[in-house]
Amino acid sequence: MTKHVWQTLIKGGMVFDGTGQNPKVEDIAIANGKIAMRGKNLDGALAETVVNAKSQWVMPGFLDIHTHLDLEIELSPGLEEVVRHGTTSVLIANCSLGLTFGAQRKNGEDPIVDCFARVENIPKHVLSAAADKIDWTCSSGYYKHLDAVPTGPNIIPMIPHSMLRVEVMGLKGSVSRQPNNLELKQMASLVEEGMKQGYIGMSTDALPFHYLSNDPNRRIRIPSQWCSWKELKVLTDVVRRYDRVWQATPEKDSPLEVVKSFALTSGRLFGKPLKVTAVAVMDMATHSGLVGMSKTLSGFLNSWVLKGNFYFQVLASPFKVYWDGPINPLAEEIPIFRELNELDLEDKQGRLDLLSDPEYRKRFRKMWMHGKQGFNIANLFRKLNREEFSFSRKLNEMVIYSGGCENWVGETMAELQKRVTQWQRFSTGARNAEEESHFSKFPENSKDEVDFILHVFSEYDLGLRWTYVSANRNKEITEDLLFDERFLPGFNDSGAHLTNLAFNDANLCGLQMAQSRGLEKVSSLVKRLTRLPADFLGIDAGRIDVGSQADVIIIDPYALASYKSDAQTKFIWREDIANEQIVKRSDGVVTHSWIAGNLAWTSEYGASKDLGVKKFGRAVRAINGSNQ
């Protein structure tokens, strides 16, 4: 009887190993969580399990470099919604938010709920449930926790800047003033401790529409927004010394500040390049010039002039957002909408009172019609597609997803408005008695788009769900960004915006784009989804080398070619987090997924019964420990 040497043998697959080289048909043996052997015609009798991968693609598991799964790890550590799409490693603590320093509940403050709720559109009860489980108080304690919790994917944590400020200054101090010299030294010391412990870097945030969510802070921006350039320079100098990564979001309303802060990547100016990954480059529907500006800026920062190491992140799919009535992450960008977002999700009456207030309605009208009429600068910028906000306020681009009448699904707000107006004028246009009942409640002047949309928000509140594609509408431009060497795939925002965004499958969408261009392009993109980001982050991942951790996936190329991401969107109720979530279902595309040699997912049986029960992935530490 032949003794089993390997746990798993993957036979006859077309292997894309993450190097970018052309694929080759070979076998891969897995033993003790590692890649044990690669080659042709390996003996299946030596393996406990043989998987036939003929005509399939075998590759390293994907890295998801922009997630907010920090809280979900505490409630559902298997991260099934991640694993099913071929992702085996996730980067957390992005955008200055995370759990590195524990719950930080002091003096009645609740920083996790206050910071995450609006910025990442996660309901407060979900945040509180996760925060209640926290029993550590420092960065070393967090790694100890991550080492023990039964995570599915590998977890890559960072030092989150907002929480760093709270740790040193308290929440109140962190959103009201600059640190004194002692406090700044303490922050730098905590970052240094984190780098020594293996954290791959630090994240900050400067997007001007990220606000706190609890009283008395609802009109105050999150702590990282209060950072001066001096503070940023001191903290990133520590990151630079350890050759780690700064994840950043830019101050979008100030181009000069963007250039000034991102110039910190420069090796020529500061002696050694600082690795920077920034959110994000997209083909905005309301501002066609941003793509060119992003390309120019990236090229300049990485040129021989500055000698930087800078990547914008890019999303490999249309940026389709789901609005719950007037509530959506894009809404925070517009001050009039932000007033509605300041209220808790459960405060329906508060939103109704605001929408009924004559003064608010007057301001709402001014905002909604800004640039739509007359001859003025705003109108000119709108015609030139150089608008300030990413939401166009065009009814014909707002598509009803659910709520109201069943027959409204798939109809644009403009189409609905037209039929309401027709019914009001001629008593025709309603499809049935139920719709007539709805039409009868609209204001008499529904031809006015402001009165129409205010009624929709007031009457249906969160119950009417609709969609809007704010960026990446043009597939050719999106593909161009995806394959551009100046950018990194991965602005997926997994784990955030539970009812607004669903990009867990974005890496598969990118792979599908590459597939249409041939195997050489597939090889290139596999590298950009695996080995390249792993090397940039300075971690041991994203490869199928003998001796490396066996994070391996199998892709069915025929299922991938026919996959329709948008058609596979659905809302589910999740008992594990006690909330609804929008998800994608790429089932059948990823046929197998192993994490550290553990079979985590198959298209035939779904998630492993051990996923989230036994530890599969590891808490990842940086492998470049130099302080030079």
Side-chain angles (χ1 to χ4, degrees), residues 95-96 159-162 164-165 169 178-179 183-185 187-188 191 201-207 223-241 245-251 256-265 270 274-278 310:
C95 301
S96 85
I159 301 293
H161 184 219
S162 281
L164 175 68
R165 282 185 130 245
M169 304 170 67
Q178 296 300 314
E183 289 169 332
L184 186 53
K185 287 180 179 179
M187 280 193 275
V191 173
M202 180 185 78
S203 70
T204 66
D205 177 83
L207 285 178
S224 189
Q225 303 270 336
W226 295 76
C227 174
S228 67
W229 189 86
K230 174 187 175 182
E231 178 181 333
L232 185 61
K233 172 69 165 53
V234 168
L235 299 181
T236 55
D237 274 352
V238 179
V239 177
R240 186 194 310 272
R241 288 204 317 271
V245 176
W246 170 35
Q247 185 272 317
T249 58
E251 214 290 57
L256 287 179
E257 286 300 315
V258 172
V259 174
K260 181 180 178 182
S261 61
F262 285 169
L264 287 168
T265 188
F270 302 104
L274 170 66
K275 295 192 288 188
V276 182
T277 174
F310 180 93

Side-chain angles (χ1 to χ4, degrees), residues 359-372:
E359 177 59 29
Y360 178 83
R361 293 174 72 90
K362 182 179 179 181
R363 289 185 285 115
F364 187 97
R365 176 176 293 277
K366 182 178 179 181
M367 173 275 297
W368 191 269
M369 299 308 295
H370 184 66
K372 291 185 176 183

